């Protein structure tokens, strides 16, 4: 079956702009996770959804970052007033218990 | 923050040789997982080992876990050029599968 998909693959924006990153999880997976990976580092947790609700958003770096999952499937990560330090690969994963399946990521570049 | 630390940071071997990567972590865990990442994009799940397991095999992969030392190792036997990738260990400490990753080991297998 289809894996986790993320759009866009790449996003270039200017400092101060607003961006939305989309994640389509594997059908039937109730848990969804967002991670951010900077160059040379491992992924770092941002937020975890169980169904429609954010069960843990402790990884969001500040209030410019927000994520939603209104119908319990597709999720959107929203970044307001982007900064150059937000440049990274944003990874989404979905899971049944234990094993997380990752999408290909969105590479965000803030100029 | 990074929970795990992989060692070595980089490893270069010839095809046919074995590759061993180590991971140390800081807090108690429910399970530990190893992932592979090609070209800085999506992560591929390799193997999961639970905290009550000591060793697990999957094809050419062998993972060990020593909870008393808070460490794990990943052995890839008879390596191939296609094994060239970054390898990450990830721990699940919170009980709902939010993963904490190390910085990874970059493996280069030369033909």
């Amino acid at each position: 079956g289809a894996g986790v998909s993320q759009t866009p693959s790449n996003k270039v924006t200017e400092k101060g702009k607003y961006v939305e990153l989309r994640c389509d999880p594997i059908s039937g997976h109730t848990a969804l996770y967002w991670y951010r990976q900077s160059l040379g580092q491992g992924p770092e947790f941002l937020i975890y959804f169980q169904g429609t609700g954010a069960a843990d958003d402790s990884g969001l770096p500040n209030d410019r970052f927000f994520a939603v999952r209104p119908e319990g499937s597709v999720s959107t990560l929203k970044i307001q007033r982007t900064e150059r330090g937000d440049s990274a690969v944003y990874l989404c994963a979905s899971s049944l218990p234990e094993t997380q399946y990752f999408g290909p990521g969105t590479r965000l570049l803030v100029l | 923050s990074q929970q795990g630390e992989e060692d070595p940071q980089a490893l270069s071997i010839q095809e046919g040789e074995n590759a061993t990567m180590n991971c140390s972590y800081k807090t108690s865990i429910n399970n530990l997982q190893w992932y592979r990442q090609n070209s800085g994009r999506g992560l591929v799940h390799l193997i999961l080992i639970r905290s009550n397991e000591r060793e697990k095999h999957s094809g050419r992969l062998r993972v060990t876990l020593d909870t008393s030392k808070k460490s794990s190792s990943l052995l890839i036997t008879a390596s191939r050029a296609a094994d060239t990738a970054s390898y990450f260990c990830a721990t699940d400490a919170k009980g709902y599968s939010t993963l904490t990753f190390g910085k990874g080991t970059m493996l280069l297998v030369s033909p």
Side-chain angles (χ1 to χ4, degrees):
Chain A
V4 178
S5 63
Q6 292 186 246
T7 54
S9 297
N10 296 281
K11 176 70 177 178
V12 181
T13 190
E14 292 179 345
K15 180 175 178 293
K17 299 289 188 182
Y18 168 83
V19 297
E20 289 189 352
L21 311 179
R22 177 187 168 108
C23 172
D24 281 85
I26 294 172
S27 178
H29 284 192
T30 57
L32 185 146
Y33 309 80
W34 283 98
Y35 294 85
R36 178 170 72 173
Q37 185 176 23
S38 300
L39 194 63
Q41 302 292 316
E44 292 191 316
F45 167 73
L46 295 177
I47 187 169
Y48 155 62
F49 287 90
Q50 184 60 250
T52 60
D56 184 354
D57 65 357
S58 62
L60 295 177
N62 52 59
D63 61 7
R64 295 187 297 105
F65 288 75
F66 189 70
V68 295
R69 195 185 184 200
E71 297 179 356
S73 57
V74 171
S75 176
T76 305
L77 178 66
K78 308 181 181 191
I79 310 174
Q80 297 177 319
R81 304 183 304 280
T82 52
E83 299 177 356
R84 292 193 181 89
D86 298 335
S87 297
V89 175
Y90 289 81
L91 295 162
C92 174
S94 69
S95 77
L96 294 172
E98 293 183 332
T99 301
Q100 294 185 26
Y101 299 90
F102 282 80
T106 293
R107 189 179 301 278
L108 174 66
L109 178 61
V110 182
L111 300 177
Chain B
S1 62
Q2 310 276 175
Q3 152 86 305
E5 290 290 336
E6 288 89 345
D7 169 57
Q9 291 185 352
L11 180 60
S12 182
I13 60 175
Q14 299 289 317
E15 260 190 334
E17 294 179 338
N18 295 342
T20 299
M21 288 159 268
N22 303 296
C23 167
S24 60
Y25 57 91
K26 298 174 184 174
T27 65
S28 297
I29 61 172
N30 296 302
N31 63 62
L32 184 144
Q33 305 183 46
W34 285 90
Y35 284 82
R36 184 185 73 217
Q37 186 176 43
N38 292 86
S39 305
R41 298 306 286 259
L43 289 97
V44 174
H45 181 261
L46 296 177
I47 197 165
L48 178 152
I49 187 165
R50 293 186 174 80
S51 59
N52 62 353
E53 297 175 312
R54 292 297 169 258
E55 186 170 314
K56 205 161 184 179
H57 297 253
S58 177
R60 294 184 297 112
L61 306 180
R62 184 177 81 113
V63 168
T64 62
L65 178 65
D66 186 336
T67 53
S68 67
K69 295 181 180 178
K70 291 187 169 59
S71 67
S72 173
S73 68
L74 171 67
L75 168 67
I76 304 174
T77 60
S79 63
R80 305 166 182 167
D83 294 328
T84 294
S86 291
Y87 291 82
F88 294 89
C89 70
T91 53
D92 165 13
K94 291 189 177 183
Y96 48 74
S97 301
T98 297
L99 296 176
T100 306
F101 287 83
K103 293 186 178 182
T105 292
M106 192 177 305
L107 174 65
L108 173 63
V109 182
S110 301

